[in-house]
Amino acid sequence: MADRLKAAVLGATGLVGQRFVYLLSRHPWFQLYAVTASERRVGKRYGETVEWYIDEPFPEEAAELEIRPTRADALRDVDLVFVALPKEVAGEIELELARMGKIVVSNANVFRMEPDVPLLNPEANWEHIRLVEEQRRRRGWSGAIMKVPNCTTAVLTLSLKPLLDRYGLKEVYMTSMQAISGAGFSGVPGYAITDNILPFIKGEEEKVVRESRKILGKLEGSEVKHADFRVVATTTRVPVLDGHLESVVAKLSKTPGSLEEVLETWDTWKSMPQELRLPTAPEKPVVVRREPNRPQPRLDRKTGRGMSVVVGRATLPFEGEPLLRYMVLGHNTLRGAAGTGVLIAELYYRLIEQVF
Amino acid sequence: MADRLKAAVLGATGLVGQRFVYLLSRHPWFQLYAVTASERRVGKRYGETVEWYIDEPFPEEAAELEIRPTRADALRDVDLVFVALPKEVAGEIELELARMGKIVVSNANVFRMEPDVPLLNPEANWEHIRLVEEQRRRRGWSGAIMKVPNCTTAVLTLSLKPLLDRYGLKEVYMTSMQAISGAGFSGVPGYAITDNILPFIKGEEEKVVRESRKILGKLEGSEVKHADFRVVATTTRVPVLDGHLESVVAKLSKTPGSLEEVLETWDTWKSMPQELRLPTAPEKPVVVRREPNRPQPRLDRKTGRGMSVVVGRATLPFEGEPLLRYMVLGHNTLRGAAGTGVLIAELYYRLIEQVF
Amino acid sequence: MADRLKAAVLGATGLVGQRFVYLLSRHPWFQLYAVTASERRVGKRYGETVEWYIDEPFPEEAAELEIRPTRADALRDVDLVFVALPKEVAGEIELELARMGKIVVSNANVFRMEPDVPLLNPEANWEHIRLVEEQRRRRGWSGAIMKVPNCTTAVLTLSLKPLLDRYGLKEVYMTSMQAISGAGFSGVPGYAITDNILPFIKGEEEKVVRESRKILGKLEGSEVKHADFRVVATTTRVPVLDGHLESVVAKLSKTPGSLEEVLETWDTWKSMPQELRLPTAPEKPVVVRREPNRPQPRLDRKTGRGMSVVVGRATLPFEGEPLLRYMVLGHNTLRGAAGTGVLIAELYYRLIEQVF
Amino acid sequence: MADRLKAAVLGATGLVGQRFVYLLSRHPWFQLYAVTASERRVGKRYGETVEWYIDEPFPEEAAELEIRPTRADALRDVDLVFVALPKEVAGEIELELARMGKIVVSNANVFRMEPDVPLLNPEANWEHIRLVEEQRRRRGWSGAIMKVPNCTTAVLTLSLKPLLDRYGLKEVYMTSMQAISGAGFSGVPGYAITDNILPFIKGEEEKVVRESRKILGKLEGSEVKHADFRVVATTTRVPVLDGHLESVVAKLSKTPGSLEEVLETWDTWKSMPQELRLPTAPEKPVVVRREPNRPQPRLDRKTGRGMSVVVGRATLPFEGEPLLRYMVLGHNTLRGAAGTGVLIAELYYRLIEQVF
């Protein structure tokens, strides 16, 4: 087994950045080696400048890291880079890093729909990682850019994939109730969200529609043929700290034999990350709860260390028809961001580089 | 014009009861004349025993009313009765009161689906009030029992009625985000709902399905022919004090000419309560908001003194197809309970008794 | 009686600005005539650019006002100016406006401790308004700058003033639980305050200490002699939208005859604004609640249209000793900001200009 | 070392009961052996009947335990009993169990002030455990009843003890901001606490006053001489799930040399549970935070696995005077209930029985 690889986190003081820092601080393959943040923090120690507000203990091994500037030339000594930057500043540096030969796993909403950039929710579409080869060919670089999907889409597609495989998928009607942390630490004012719901999240619904079809598309040769089911997405913000809850109606192509069959399909589903025993892969990608009042964000968001999605309230409302109603919950900054980012990197090094 | 009629509120200390008390304390036709509560409060003055927790000033005229027992024989001197009791205790007393000749307007979930009991959301189905005549014929009483719909259904059907009339309605997929007050003052523990969503409300989804088809059904002779659109309802509880928000996808029978046409359809819709200028009728039953981030429960729930529903986020996601996506918000203890109760009584006295 | 005076609100789109706009939109003496906001909004109509999020209906008369730049030279045509700007930008423009002869009533935390600037909580220290004469003498201008106190201090001093007058005051220990709106619309992130308390508000405790002694000081000739009681203030932020709740222990100079005597002292206390029947003055500056579980922020913050403070939980813990424990609640953006601002202007025009 | 002792939890399905179950499920000395609950659950398996809502994973080893009735005769086969019952039902069964020779550690508010019942906050008053001998003598039983203090008092006294030892203590003014869980799962309605503070908790202030003086009293021979400092306590309920925050002003007998000296006094303080390395004892009973904005309930309540209290915001407001201001936070169902309960049992078996 190789030595631990040197990993950087760009935007390490934000909510997603902190999740990356925590996950890497205890990772068997990757070493938390460099952190970057905005200009005013450069040169300070991470432990001194970060306001640690996630629900994990602060990793003491991160305390002494010196904040680097968020520039490619400050990252020559690292192997891989996790990007938790706003999209406005992420694009340029990701390109530069890839040109420098770095492995870039990015949460930023840029390049996600580029045909040669894999948009990876590993259990749902691990084979898309082969796009990296096409990407290198086209772009002439030895690095790689791999993308984490939008958080809501990551949760949704994990629940849809086993349905698609077994029953086919025609239409999806989804209403989300998304956590505050999805907008970053300061993204939702307390005065706006207390005793309230915000019925609109800018750009979110479009992301769910287009990203879910790419993620659940088929890799054919060197391109992904997008799936052709239709999606109507309504996305809202609710007074919950972490965990996106989604209410789904799915029109399948084939009527399931029974509700129990659907539940078993989810419950027994495993994919490549489970087969490869990747360190961050949950035992079960989809956990089925049969009690009527689950999933609940506060009680269930940490299921599978935040890497499983939890499905509940499933019914087949009309007998003999391929219409399935259910709810799905996932941790938006773990399964929907940093956790999936780390899982993508694990998949890359195991499948492509084969170093672990 | 007649003298004010003597009105009683049964279950006057609960959340819905308090709304009734407030509305009646300033009503031009009805006089707040009697209040009942549970046994331990009987004989106390209302102002001394109630814990007033709604967002309206306490009506001083209610302070001196003596709490009566919740029994029919204690209500001989009243004309009409508003029922805000739990369903377990409501049924028997409602029957007795109707037999005594009283006009009973009830929020309790009992008798709602009886064929000769009108389930009234006045702007949507005011003509169903004629069922009272059938009811009297069948039951041989001179009183009447009229029912307020389930809160979620009241909000939903008000937004659906103009769509049904103009475009026809085939399927409705609805996900609700319901306020805490929907479960009564003590119905949702603070520990359960803080930083959380409860994905299940017992019995609620069934009510939405069956009541919406009765409300939007056609009165043919002496019975209501239920509407035949299909409903899939997913109902949840969110950390909001008042105001149910509902995310809707409606498959219409006919494709609207444009989104603007749909918005105009809602915006210009008026019904009998508006024509009759009933005191509690809002100027507009459906208020359309065109900003992307409305309706919001805290900001919009009091629209039309809580008697309008507010529609927003409407789109026609697939060009040329009769599929409409929107959100609708309504105040669950006003439009969804006490306000609609008072509006029903107004409709009755104007249309049936013709005393005002 | 004079015509209505032309009033401007500086910073009219923020939380306190919106309160000013609402109060002026229905004011008998002042006309809402001009509004200013940040550069990017200049030239737009108020109704189009403001995100109205306070719990009052949007005043349609404000909709058509054109946003002006926040500069003195854009305000030549107004009589009086209400300032709801951050302190960083307020100072310079307030000076310019006063030099131009304008009456400036400001909520901004600048100049509050200047000896010739009255810091006014009208019922507590209306006579300090005479400092305006000294201010004009010293500064050679015909305008005036008058200051609204810090919100927490405004609430506290209103409850202390009747105690000070009757019993004298030696020490005050105060712990506040302050609403989110005290930090402005975006001042407290939802992620920070959900399921949490922030135990620190920058600069707040110092303001309480120094401002309470100035407000409760004595005007002697042309200067205010600060009161000499001691204050220990601990200020915190809690998940409440509006309404600051304060837990107080006061060491008095003289032992009250009884708790009842203290309650009566508060309850019967009136001051100059009540005598003058100023339009914004509440009937009672201090409302006493005798139930054990009051005051509650959500239920009591609008008492006296948000201009009364509500006192409860009073006890004399040690018999025969001049130690009083109580809680006091006040609406932080009404009594603690815009409401008191308007009341100050009323006091000025009645007592100094004597135009109404 | 002895075999693990057989432990029962009475009232095992409530919030404190669940904490006991979790702590015992992984305890080196005690085996989670029996659980009781209310009549309707008797005979069911714990895993099937409990609604698990604390923020720890459900301990699978508890799933199969059969719920026993809450009666002494159903507990003959256990060694020690942890009581998480309401006080109304706790007293009788505790007496019976002690007579049967059982070791009873109880969270219930009954017998706490009996002179021969130790009220134990182990780091603060471990030596009071000797009262068990007096209790056995007086009552003639071989069992024992030991009491966990009121949660607010447990947090407060842990912060006071090092101050008392070094500086002496004259007066304490304390305002608490207490978590919802302090009232049990259903104790605080969501409608009551959202966007609100409840300024009153029945009986709480009296408990703080009397229990803190017993806990910090001196064991002299076979009785505890209560401490004689004075306490004014104001206790409130805030919208926080777990963690009581307390704002304290303490008048000491002796002026500290410096604030730093006070901080060091807390920071370096250890007591018998630390010396004995009891399994549940935190490394530091009092953790000092020097950042201005700590302690925060959500971020700090799990410090020391919920068994440390966290002190912050300390100042000496008046130079040269023995007046100390600070805030202290503790986990109310761990340090304030179940955690302290388990720690008491550990202390007992180590010091009195000396079996571990």
Side-chain angles (χ1 to χ4, degrees):
Chain A
M1 187 179 282
D3 279 346
R4 290 203 300 165
L5 295 163
K6 292 174 180 166
V9 177
L10 308 198
T13 57
L15 265 181
V16 171
Q18 292 185 22
R19 292 279 179 200
F20 272 123
V21 164
Y22 179 75
L23 293 173
L24 293 172
S25 74
R26 48 188 54 210
H27 200 277
W29 299 357
F30 309 140
Q31 178 192 359
L32 177 65
Y33 186 80
V35 288
T36 84
S38 55
E39 211 47 53
R40 67 182 175 91
R41 300 190 198 255
V42 171
K44 296 187 176 162
R45 289 176 309 106
Y46 185 70
E48 146 206 17
T49 189
V50 72
E51 258 202 274
W52 189 260
Y53 29 58
I54 67 169
D55 59 349
E56 301 288 358
F58 179 73
E60 286 310 323
E61 47 277 56
E64 294 304 317
L65 287 173
E66 189 184 309
I67 302 283
R68 303 184 184 194
T70 303
R71 288 201 319 268
D73 62 10
L75 297 162
R76 295 193 186 284
D77 54 344
V78 306
D79 299 302
L80 78 159
V81 177
F82 295 97
V83 179
L85 297 171
K87 74 172 170 179
E88 292 71 22
V89 300
E92 196 47 50
I93 194 171
E94 292 182 9
L95 294 172
E96 282 182 73
L97 287 165
R99 277 184 223 116
M100 283 164 61
K102 306 303 181 193
I103 303 309
V104 177
V105 179
S106 166
N107 198 53
N109 178 29
V110 58
F111 309 137
R112 281 185 188 156
M113 300 307 290
E114 300 273 308
D116 62 346
V117 173
L119 180 63
L120 291 163
N121 195 10
E123 284 87 345
N125 68 340
W126 58 271
E127 67 278 11
H128 291 196
I129 203 167
R130 296 271 163 222
L131 279 185
V132 163
E133 289 152 15
E134 173 68 8
Q135 183 187 111
R136 285 172 172 164
R137 202 156 33 234
R138 282 201 205 177
R139 315 237 181 185
W141 61 37
S142 62
I145 295 178
M146 293 174 286
K147 287 281 159 174
V148 179
N150 161 268
C151 48
T152 308
T153 313
V155 173
L156 178 64
T157 52
L158 214 54
S159 72
L160 290 177
K161 175 64 173 171
L163 301 176
L164 175 68
D165 284 354
R166 180 153 190 181
Y167 305 112
L169 203 49
K170 293 186 134 167
E171 296 183 5
V172 174
Y173 305 109
M174 187 278 286
T175 297
S176 71
M177 290 162 256
Q178 300 184 213
I180 297 170
S181 59
F185 180 66
S186 301
V188 181
Y191 198 79
I193 200 65
T194 300
D195 180 23
N196 205 13
I197 296 175
L198 301 175
F200 176 65
I201 302 173
K202 202 175 149 81
E204 191 81 355
E205 293 167 3
E206 295 81 351
K207 287 180 211 167
V208 174
V209 171
R210 67 181 178 239
E211 293 186 17
S212 62
R213 290 196 288 223
K214 178 171 180 181
I215 293 168
L216 296 180
K218 265 216 175 72
L219 184 73
E220 300 192 343
S222 61
E223 67 178 313
V224 171
K225 201 165 159 262
H226 291 203
D228 63 357
F229 58 86
R230 305 205 307 183
V231 181
V232 178
T234 301
T235 57
T236 76
R237 187 78 65 196
V238 295
V240 163
L241 288 164
D242 294 301
H244 288 0
L245 182 63
E246 306 177 13
S247 167
V248 182
V249 172
K251 293 217 169 171
L252 310 170
S253 307
K254 217 168 64 186
T255 303
S258 67
L259 181 61
E260 188 54 37
E261 182 192 284
V262 177
L263 300 180
E264 283 297 310
T265 301
W266 273 320
D267 191 50
T268 58
W269 182 60
K270 305 217 165 175
S271 178
M272 187 57 76
Q274 282 70 39
E275 278 176 45
L276 298 177
R277 299 176 175 275
L278 299 180
T280 301
E283 198 195 337
K284 291 183 174 200
V286 180
V287 168
V288 174
R289 299 292 301 242
R290 290 157 190 265
E291 308 93 316
N293 65 346
R294 303 300 273 264
Q296 294 182 23
R298 196 177 82 229
L299 301 187
D300 296 318
R301 59 196 170 202
K302 294 303 265 307
T303 303
R305 284 161 302 131
M307 288 301 289
S308 300
V309 301
V310 182
V311 154
R313 306 230 53 223
T315 59
L316 295 164
F318 305 120
E319 207 183 313
E321 294 193 28
L323 193 85
L324 175 66
R325 188 281 305 263
Y326 67 94
M327 302 194 87
V328 59
L329 171 83
H331 196 294
N332 54 300
T333 61
L334 289 170
R335 173 45 78 171
T340 289
V342 174
L343 186 60
I344 290 170
E346 292 167 2
L347 186 72
Y348 172 83
Y349 282 103
R350 182 66 161 269
L351 272 193
I352 306 291
E353 299 271 335
Q354 304 187 336
V355 288
F356 293 100
Chain B
M1 186 181 284
D3 280 347
R4 289 202 302 166
L5 295 163
K6 292 176 181 165
V9 177
L10 309 197
T13 56
L15 264 182
V16 172
Q18 293 185 22
R19 292 279 179 201
F20 272 123
V21 165
Y22 178 76
L23 293 172
L24 294 172
S25 73
R26 47 187 58 212
H27 199 276
W29 301 355
F30 309 139
Q31 178 193 0
L32 177 64
Y33 185 81
V35 288
T36 84
S38 54
E39 211 47 55
R40 65 184 175 88
R41 301 189 197 256
V42 171
K44 297 190 175 160
R45 290 176 307 104
Y46 185 70
E48 145 205 17
T49 189
V50 71
E51 256 202 276
W52 190 259
Y53 29 59
I54 67 169
D55 58 349
E56 302 288 356
F58 179 73
E60 286 309 324
E61 48 277 57
E64 294 305 315
L65 288 173
E66 190 184 309
I67 301 283
R68 304 184 183 195
T70 303
R71 287 200 321 266
D73 62 12
L75 298 162
R76 296 193 186 283
D77 53 346
V78 305
D79 299 301
L80 77 159
V81 178
F82 294 97
V83 180
L85 298 170
K87 74 172 171 180
E88 293 70 22
V89 301
E92 197 48 51
I93 194 170
E94 292 181 11
L95 294 171
E96 283 183 72
L97 286 165
R99 278 184 223 119
M100 284 164 62
K102 306 301 181 195
I103 303 307
V104 177
V105 179
S106 165
N107 198 51
N109 177 31
V110 58
F111 309 138
R112 280 187 191 155
M113 300 307 291
E114 300 273 309
D116 62 347
V117 173
L119 180 63
L120 291 164
N121 196 11
E123 285 87 344
N125 67 339
W126 58 271
E127 68 280 9
H128 291 196
I129 204 166
R130 297 271 162 223
L131 279 185
V132 163
E133 292 151 14
E134 173 68 9
Q135 183 187 113
R136 286 171 173 165
R137 199 153 39 230
R138 281 200 207 178
R139 314 237 182 184
W141 60 38
S142 62
I145 295 178
M146 293 173 286
K147 286 282 160 174
V148 179
N150 162 268
C151 48
T152 308
T153 312
V155 173
L156 178 64
T157 52
L158 214 54
S159 73
L160 289 177
K161 174 64 172 170
L163 301 176
L164 175 67
D165 285 354
R166 179 152 192 183
Y167 303 112
L169 203 50
K170 294 187 131 165
E171 295 185 4
V172 174
Y173 304 111
M174 189 277 287
T175 297
S176 70
M177 290 163 255
Q178 300 184 214
I180 297 169
S181 59
F185 181 66
S186 301
V188 181
Y191 199 78
I193 200 65
T194 301
D195 179 24
N196 206 14
I197 295 174
L198 302 175
F200 176 66
I201 301 173
K202 202 174 150 79
E204 190 81 357
E205 293 167 3
E206 295 81 351
K207 288 180 210 165
V208 174
V209 170
R210 67 182 177 236
E211 294 187 17
S212 62
R213 289 195 289 222
K214 178 171 181 182
I215 293 168
L216 297 180
K218 266 216 175 72
L219 184 72
E220 301 192 343
S222 63
E223 68 178 313
V224 171
K225 199 165 160 261
H226 291 205
D228 63 356
F229 58 86
R230 305 206 306 183
V231 181
V232 178
T234 301
T235 58
T236 75
R237 187 79 65 197
V238 294
V240 163
L241 288 163
D242 294 301
H244 288 359
L245 183 63
E246 306 177 13
S247 168
V248 181
V249 172
K251 293 215 169 175
L252 310 170
S253 307
K254 216 167 65 186
T255 303
S258 67
L259 181 60
E260 188 53 38
E261 182 193 283
V262 177
L263 299 180
E264 283 297 310
T265 302
W266 273 320
D267 192 49
T268 59
W269 183 60
K270 304 215 165 176
S271 179
M272 187 56 76
Q274 282 70 40
E275 278 175 46
L276 299 176
R277 298 176 177 276
L278 298 179
T280 301
E283 197 196 339
K284 290 183 175 201
V286 180
V287 169
V288 175
R289 297 294 301 243
R290 291 158 190 264
E291 307 94 316
N293 65 346
R294 303 298 274 265
Q296 293 182 24
R298 196 177 82 231
L299 302 186
D300 296 319
R301 59 195 171 203
K302 292 305 262 311
T303 303
R305 285 163 300 132
M307 288 301 288
S308 300
V309 300
V310 182
V311 154
R313 306 230 54 223
T315 59
L316 295 164
F318 306 118
E319 208 184 311
E321 295 193 28
L323 193 84
L324 175 68
R325 187 282 304 265
Y326 67 94
M327 302 194 86
V328 58
L329 171 82
H331 196 294
N332 54 300
T333 62
L334 289 169
R335 173 46 77 172
T340 289
V342 174
L343 187 60
I344 290 170
E346 292 167 2
L347 186 73
Y348 172 82
Y349 282 103
R350 182 66 160 269
L351 271 193
I352 306 290
E353 300 271 337
Q354 303 185 336
V355 287
F356 293 99
Chain C
M1 187 180 284
D3 280 345
R4 289 203 302 165
L5 295 163
K6 293 176 180 162
V9 177
L10 308 199
T13 57
L15 265 181
V16 171
Q18 293 185 23
R19 292 280 178 200
F20 272 123
V21 165
Y22 179 76
L23 293 172
L24 294 173
S25 74
R26 48 188 56 211
H27 200 276
W29 301 355
F30 309 138
Q31 178 193 359
L32 177 64
Y33 186 79
V35 288
T36 83
S38 56
E39 212 46 54
R40 66 184 176 89
R41 300 189 197 255
V42 172
K44 296 188 176 161
R45 288 178 307 105
Y46 185 70
E48 147 205 15
T49 189
V50 71
E51 258 202 274
W52 188 260
Y53 28 59
I54 66 168
D55 59 350
E56 302 288 357
F58 179 72
E60 286 309 323
E61 49 277 58
E64 294 305 315
L65 288 174
E66 192 185 308
I67 301 283
R68 304 185 182 192
T70 303
R71 289 201 317 268
D73 62 11
L75 297 162
R76 296 195 185 283
D77 54 346
V78 306
D79 299 302
L80 77 158
V81 178
F82 294 98
V83 180
L85 298 170
K87 73 171 171 180
E88 292 72 21
V89 301
E92 195 48 50
I93 195 171
E94 293 182 8
L95 294 172
E96 283 182 72
L97 287 164
R99 275 183 224 119
M100 284 165 61
K102 306 301 180 195
I103 302 309
V104 177
V105 179
S106 166
N107 199 51
N109 177 29
V110 58
F111 309 138
R112 281 186 189 154
M113 300 308 289
E114 300 274 307
D116 62 346
V117 173
L119 180 63
L120 290 163
N121 195 11
E123 285 86 346
N125 67 339
W126 58 271
E127 68 279 11
H128 290 197
I129 204 166
R130 297 270 163 223
L131 278 186
V132 164
E133 291 152 13
E134 172 68 8
Q135 183 187 113
R136 285 172 173 164
R137 202 157 32 234
R138 280 202 206 177
R139 313 235 183 186
W141 60 36
S142 61
I145 295 177
M146 292 174 287
K147 287 282 159 176
V148 179
N150 162 269
C151 48
T152 307
T153 312
V155 173
L156 178 64
T157 51
L158 214 54
S159 72
L160 289 178
K161 175 64 174 169
L163 301 177
L164 175 67
D165 285 354
R166 179 153 191 179
Y167 304 112
L169 203 50
K170 295 188 132 165
E171 295 184 5
V172 174
Y173 305 110
M174 190 275 287
T175 297
S176 71
M177 290 163 256
Q178 301 184 212
I180 297 170
S181 59
F185 181 65
S186 301
V188 181
Y191 199 79
I193 199 67
T194 301
D195 179 22
N196 206 14
I197 295 174
L198 301 176
F200 175 65
I201 301 173
K202 202 175 149 79
E204 192 81 357
E205 293 167 2
E206 294 81 351
K207 288 181 210 166
V208 174
V209 171
R210 66 180 177 237
E211 294 187 18
S212 61
R213 290 196 288 220
K214 178 170 180 182
I215 292 168
L216 296 180
K218 264 216 175 73
L219 184 73
E220 302 193 341
S222 60
E223 67 178 313
V224 171
K225 198 162 162 262
H226 291 205
D228 63 355
F229 58 86
R230 307 206 305 183
V231 180
V232 177
T234 300
T235 59
T236 76
R237 186 80 65 197
V238 295
V240 163
L241 288 163
D242 294 302
H244 287 0
L245 183 63
E246 306 176 12
S247 168
V248 181
V249 172
K251 293 217 169 173
L252 310 170
S253 306
K254 214 166 68 185
T255 302
S258 67
L259 181 61
E260 189 53 37
E261 181 193 284
V262 177
L263 299 181
E264 283 297 310
T265 301
W266 273 320
D267 192 49
T268 58
W269 182 60
K270 303 216 167 178
S271 178
M272 187 56 74
Q274 283 70 40
E275 278 175 45
L276 299 176
R277 298 176 177 275
L278 298 180
T280 301
E283 198 196 335
K284 291 184 175 200
V286 180
V287 169
V288 174
R289 299 294 301 242
R290 291 159 189 265
E291 307 94 316
N293 64 346
R294 302 299 272 265
Q296 294 182 23
R298 197 177 82 231
L299 302 186
D300 296 318
R301 60 196 171 203
K302 292 305 262 310
T303 303
R305 285 162 301 130
M307 288 301 290
S308 299
V309 300
V310 182
V311 153
R313 306 227 57 223
T315 58
L316 294 165
F318 306 118
E319 209 183 313
E321 294 193 29
L323 193 85
L324 174 68
R325 187 283 303 265
Y326 67 95
M327 302 194 86
V328 59
L329 171 83
H331 197 294
N332 54 301
T333 62
L334 289 169
R335 172 46 78 173
T340 289
V342 174
L343 187 60
I344 290 169
E346 293 167 3
L347 186 72
Y348 171 83
Y349 282 103
R350 184 64 161 271
L351 272 194
I352 307 288
E353 299 270 335
Q354 303 188 335
V355 288
F356 293 99
Chain D
M1 188 180 283
D3 279 346
R4 289 203 300 165
L5 295 163
K6 293 176 179 165
V9 176
L10 308 198
T13 58
L15 265 181
V16 171
Q18 292 185 23
R19 293 279 178 200
F20 272 124
V21 165
Y22 178 76
L23 293 173
L24 293 172
S25 74
R26 48 189 54 212
H27 199 277
W29 299 357
F30 309 139
Q31 179 192 0
L32 176 65
Y33 185 81
V35 288
T36 84
S38 55
E39 211 46 54
R40 67 183 174 90
R41 300 188 197 258
V42 171
K44 295 189 176 160
R45 288 176 310 106
Y46 185 71
E48 147 206 16
T49 190
V50 72
E51 259 203 273
W52 188 260
Y53 28 58
I54 66 169
D55 60 348
E56 302 288 356
F58 180 73
E60 285 310 323
E61 47 276 60
E64 295 305 316
L65 287 173
E66 191 184 310
I67 301 284
R68 304 184 182 193
T70 303
R71 290 201 317 270
D73 62 10
L75 297 162
R76 295 194 186 284
D77 54 345
V78 305
D79 299 301
L80 77 159
V81 178
F82 294 97
V83 180
L85 298 171
K87 74 171 170 179
E88 292 71 21
V89 301
E92 196 46 52
I93 194 171
E94 291 181 11
L95 294 172
E96 282 183 72
L97 286 164
R99 277 184 222 117
M100 283 164 63
K102 305 302 180 193
I103 303 308
V104 177
V105 179
S106 167
N107 198 51
N109 178 29
V110 58
F111 309 137
R112 281 187 190 154
M113 301 308 290
E114 301 273 308
D116 63 346
V117 173
L119 180 62
L120 290 163
N121 195 10
E123 285 88 343
N125 69 338
W126 58 271
E127 69 277 12
H128 291 196
I129 203 165
R130 296 272 162 221
L131 279 185
V132 164
E133 290 152 14
E134 172 68 9
Q135 182 187 116
R136 285 171 174 163
R137 200 156 33 234
R138 282 202 206 177
R139 315 237 182 185
W141 59 36
S142 62
I145 295 178
M146 293 173 286
K147 287 280 159 176
V148 178
N150 162 268
C151 48
T152 308
T153 312
V155 172
L156 178 65
T157 51
L158 214 53
S159 73
L160 289 178
K161 174 65 173 171
L163 300 177
L164 175 67
D165 284 354
R166 179 151 191 181
Y167 304 112
L169 202 50
K170 293 187 132 165
E171 295 184 4
V172 174
Y173 304 110
M174 189 278 287
T175 296
S176 70
M177 290 163 256
Q178 300 185 212
I180 297 170
S181 59
F185 181 66
S186 301
V188 181
Y191 199 78
I193 199 66
T194 301
D195 180 22
N196 206 14
I197 295 174
L198 302 175
F200 176 66
I201 302 172
K202 202 174 149 78
E204 191 80 356
E205 294 167 2
E206 294 81 350
K207 288 180 211 166
V208 174
V209 171
R210 69 182 175 235
E211 294 187 18
S212 61
R213 291 196 286 222
K214 177 169 180 183
I215 293 167
L216 296 180
K218 265 219 175 71
L219 184 72
E220 301 192 343
S222 62
E223 68 179 311
V224 170
K225 198 162 162 263
H226 291 205
D228 62 357
F229 58 88
R230 305 207 306 185
V231 180
V232 178
T234 300
T235 58
T236 77
R237 188 79 65 197
V238 295
V240 163
L241 289 163
D242 294 301
H244 287 0
L245 183 62
E246 306 176 12
S247 168
V248 182
V249 171
K251 293 216 170 174
L252 310 171
S253 307
K254 212 166 68 184
T255 304
S258 67
L259 181 61
E260 189 53 38
E261 181 193 285
V262 177
L263 300 180
E264 283 297 310
T265 301
W266 272 321
D267 192 49
T268 57
W269 182 61
K270 304 216 166 177
S271 177
M272 187 57 76
Q274 282 71 38
E275 276 174 47
L276 298 176
R277 299 175 175 276
L278 299 180
T280 300
E283 198 195 335
K284 291 184 175 201
V286 180
V287 168
V288 175
R289 297 294 300 242
R290 292 160 189 261
E291 307 93 317
N293 65 345
R294 304 298 273 265
Q296 294 182 23
R298 196 177 84 231
L299 302 186
D300 296 318
R301 60 197 171 202
K302 293 305 263 307
T303 303
R305 283 161 304 131
M307 288 300 290
S308 299
V309 300
V310 182
V311 154
R313 306 229 55 223
T315 58
L316 295 164
F318 305 119
E319 208 184 312
E321 295 192 28
L323 193 84
L324 174 68
R325 188 280 305 265
Y326 67 94
M327 302 194 85
V328 58
L329 171 82
H331 196 295
N332 54 301
T333 62
L334 289 169
R335 172 47 76 173
T340 289
V342 174
L343 187 59
I344 289 169
E346 292 166 2
L347 186 72
Y348 172 82
Y349 282 104
R350 183 65 160 269
L351 272 194
I352 306 289
E353 300 271 335
Q354 304 188 335
V355 287
F356 293 100

